[in-house]
Amino acid sequence: MRPRKMAPAGGSGAVRGLWVLLATLALALAALALTEQYPALSLLKQELHRQRQGPAGGCASAGEWAEQYSAECDSSFLHFHESDCDIGGSSSCESVLSLNTEKILSQAKLLAEQKRFPFATDNDNTNEELALAYVLIGNGLYDEAIRHFSTMLQEEPELVSAIYGRGIAYGKKGLHDMKNAELALFELSRVISLEPDHPEVFEQRAEILSPLGRISEALSDLTRAIQLQPSARLYRHRGTLYFISEDYATAHEDFQHSLELNKNQPIAMLYKGLTFFHRGLLKEAIESFKEALKQKADFIDAYKSLGQAYRELGNFDAATESFQKALLLNQNHVQTLQLKGMMLYHHGSLDEALKNFKRCLQLEPYNEVCQYMKGLSHVAMGQFYEGIKAQTKVMLNDPLPGQKASPEYLKVKYLREYSRYLHAHLDTPLTEYNIDIDLPGNFKDHWAKNLPFLIENYEEQPGLQPHIKDVLFQNFESYKPDVQELVCVADHLGSMMQYETPGFLPNKRIHRAMGLATLEVMQAVQRTWANSKVRMNGKTRLMQWRDMFDIAVKWRRIADPDQPVLWLDQMPARSLSRGFNNHINLIRGQVINMRYLEYFEKILHFIKDRILVYHGANNPKGLLEVREALEKVHKVEDLLPIMKFNSKTRDGFTVNTKVPSLKDQGKEYDGFTITITGDKVGNILFSVETQTTEERTQLYHAEIDALYKDLTAKGKILILSAELGEVDAVCNLILSLVYYFYNLMPLSRGSSVIAYSVIMGALMASGKEVSGKIPKGKLVDFEAMTAPGSEAFSKIARSWMNLKSISPSYKSLPSVSETFPTLRTMIEVLNTDSSHCLKKTIVVV
């Protein structure tokens, strides 16, 4: 078993710091950078680099005299490093350990003559002794340097340069030993008490405090250093600490100050972009990343970050181009391979994704993300033997004592158990079993809630059975022409469901799955209206509304086995009685969820209305004051002062939406809960939550049951008489039924696309086809959740659906359920390439 965190390759941080000096100075000085001219080698960066990245080369800041250079070649807290100074990069990076004694003495003499070390004295002999100790530090001989400084301090206890140097040497020995850290801090604090006006000492102490987790103290020291002597480097360092603390707005201000003092800093520009990125301001982030690339055309991390920003925007082509440019600069850049692979997976390009994960693991065998994603990609494609082998490697990678488990480690056992279940059922007809019933209740409960896999008396799924073979690649041309047509039509229908809003990357695998789901729903509903029975869960009976949704559920499940798409009412009774929370953060601290930005104003108006109602009932005397204050509210943060008007809302408040019943006029159900807490801008939680309890579920089920019964009756009439009025009534019933489904949120994942595929399929059964795309920025589930009632939702949805009469050609398509009756056949069709569909006209469209 290997340790989970590895130290950076290529020797100590001091050695790498000296490579920077050797590369920069014409004279081959190897003194440690510790004064205004030679600021301290960044211990903080070194430590965080080790914690966050593992093996990598790196560079150290080389000082005010080289501010330009340090901005180019700064090994950062955020694990960005530049290949210019990687090991083996050039002769200038030759190890200083090869320097001989004569060279060390000559360096010390030169340093002493020029007084190019911290706190030089007026005594030449003392300076020579001090310079020698600093050169020893520069050569990684920390214990020798400490002994040398200690000898000098015995003779002169308050020799500031020796106290400072000894503190630096203790820090260089390694902060993993708390004794070294305490001694380093003690010495630096002594220096500050003797010489309180030197910014570099505060900076050095901050860089020791930070990796110890004492961030607020480190920030205080950097602030003091800036007060004494502002510099681009100091602002950049403090900005990075604010970034780590998730105070992105303050970090942004510091990076901006740094750039004002020195505009040519690609790394500071990159960090500035990252502060935008983490606040959800993707377009602003992209501009900053592009500016960083103008300053440094071969900046790999800027290309990588640009690719990730485009991916978050949903721009697959632009993201691919940026990742590709990063890999052209360094084909072994692990983070880019990992991010590109994940993007390809979520785009539905599993083969291509797998290549990136495999390459990532060749370079970094213990990369948990790549190992997990490799296993997931194999399983999604039906290659269970390779998939479970990769998953097991992640499972064996136990966290060290006191170390937080990675998200991949927490998820992998659920994936392995689910993979085994899927493999065992590869060739069983889908009509004969039910995942929601077969999987143990506690397993589903823990999986849906993303809890650690601590399940009492859990009995593992049987291992892979040799007689069940993996899924083989199915060539598209091997399908009969009518099946090819079916797949092409499905691809087109699935693309109609794509959200055109930030955060939603087009996924061609999901498109195909949900397109096939749409066609299967259409065919099943038509059979039901013609009084035919369906076979579900091993029984033959008339189709119920849940069966209709289950068709879409099975396709959504198999398209991405990573996500637990489970019915919440099938969870253990104890869990259901407590309720399942479907929670979405709209604003958390300074992070804005760009997916839902379109709905902020609508929700804000609702909140303002509810506040007036509340104060009208509980604070009538103050109502006028509240009303005037609300008129000035234009964004969520503006609500904070209004919360102070009432003692009960001072720390925050919740507002509940209501969903009117069609079945029982005047009756209302609980919709979702809006919560706002916080005391100041930047410290706000603005969230929405749907709590699915047993009682609430029963109320919604009764509503959906009544609508489905009415829909089935009207559907049967429609089959016999296709009058316009009947079609309209059926369309409204379909949209009303799904309106309640959206507000109920009965699934652990995927409710939105599942419901929309049911809408499209049921409408097609009624003779109407959706020909319009979902408008940019709109989310169908949020349209339903924020609509005042089912009629309003139906009107909104129909405004963009652009319903038209269905083509007769759909009738000639083969049965989806008969063509793909097993998991194996479903995975085969999702795997197959159908790129030539784009080159030919789809008959039915």
Side-chain angles (χ1 to χ4, degrees), residues 246 278-280 581-597 600 603 636 672-677 684-690 779 782 785:
E246 295 188 5
H278 283 272
R279 284 182 288 165
N581 292 348
N582 187 319
H583 186 92
I584 300 169
N585 286 330
L586 303 179
I587 299 176
R588 184 182 66 83
Q590 297 171 6
V591 182
I592 299 168
N593 192 332
M594 296 299 286
R595 288 185 170 195
Y596 304 96
L597 198 57
F600 280 23
I603 293 173
V636 176
F672 63 92
T673 302
I674 304 161
T675 301
I676 298 178
T677 59
I684 290 176
L685 178 64
F686 174 38
S687 63
V688 297
E689 183 174 88
T690 304
L779 309 176
F782 255 60
M785 291 164 68

Side-chain angles (χ1 to χ4, degrees), residues 652-664:
F653 60 85
T654 60
V655 178
N656 296 308
T657 65
K658 294 295 180 183
V659 177
S661 169
L662 279 176
K663 183 171 69 75
D664 301 313

Side-chain angles (χ1 to χ4, degrees), residues 348-368:
S349 306
L350 271 53
D351 266 331
E352 290 300 309
L354 201 49
K355 290 174 188 174
N356 283 269
F357 298 134
K358 286 179 177 177
R359 178 64 183 148
C360 165
L361 290 166
Q362 285 174 351
L363 297 164
E364 209 172 85
Y366 295 108
N367 185 306
E368 281 189 7

Side-chain angles (χ1 to χ4, degrees), residues 65 174 246 439:
W65 57 269
E246 295 188 5
L439 292 177

